[in-house]
Amino acid sequence: MADIPEDDPNFDTIDFAVQLTTAWLSNPNTRASETDVLAFLKDMHGAVDQLSRAEPDVKSADVANEYTPAVSVRKSLASKDHIISMIDGKPYKTLRRHLAGHGLTRRSAWAASRV
């Protein structure tokens, strides 16, 4: 399956939508009627057409890369009774569930703090 080219004026959104619909139908667990397939193809074409015309939002990408921790590392580890989360600034005895709720593991949080 082809990727969406960034600035190709010859990009055919209909062909790409057909490729995506074909990939969806190739899943053996997909059971769809003729009307479902046509509705999916129409929705897929609308989405691909909208994405191919959209301007990239550079400002939101820059904001996502800038992360300011809630507390400093020193303050986070200052107490022997609890650890203060750098995500929300709240004290926790253990961070396992808290990190999982944010889609992280202890290892990924450690790796992110090392950067």
Side-chain angles (χ1 to χ4, degrees), residues 87 96-106 108-109:
I87 296 172
R96 181 177 292 172
R97 261 190 242 145
H98 173 61
L99 291 174
H102 290 280
L104 299 169
T105 62
R106 288 178 289 166
S108 66

Side-chain angles (χ1 to χ4, degrees), residues 20-33 36-37 40:
L20 292 171
T21 303
T22 303
W24 174 64
L25 288 171
S26 68
N27 183 345
N29 295 326
T30 302
R31 289 173 177 61
S33 66
D36 292 340
V37 173
F40 183 84

Side-chain angles (χ1 to χ4, degrees), residues 2-107:
D3 292 328
I4 296 177
E6 293 201 7
D7 291 324
D8 185 5
N10 298 327
F11 178 66
D12 186 9
T13 57
I14 295 173
D15 183 46
F16 194 68
V18 168
Q19 289 178 15
L20 292 171
T21 303
T22 303
W24 174 64
L25 288 171
S26 68
N27 183 345
N29 295 326
T30 302
R31 289 173 177 61
S33 66
E34 183 178 329
T35 56
D36 292 340
V37 173
L38 291 175
F40 183 84
L41 179 59
K42 187 176 183 179
D43 291 343
M44 189 58 60
H45 177 259
V48 169
D49 194 39
Q50 182 181 6
L51 288 172
S52 67
R53 284 194 233 149
E55 294 293 323
D57 189 12
V58 177
K59 291 180 183 177
S60 66
D62 291 341
V63 172
N65 291 337
E66 296 175 17
Y67 174 74
T68 305
V71 295
S72 67
V73 175
R74 184 172 299 243
K75 187 173 181 180
S76 176
L77 301 173
S79 175
K80 292 183 181 186
D81 297 329
H82 58 267
I83 298 171
I84 298 177
S85 169
M86 296 179 78
I87 296 172
D88 62 7
K90 295 179 182 175
Y92 294 94
K93 296 275 185 186
T94 177
L95 291 177
R96 181 177 292 172
R97 261 190 242 145
H98 173 61
L99 291 174
H102 290 280
L104 299 169
T105 62
R106 288 178 289 166
R107 183 176 299 273

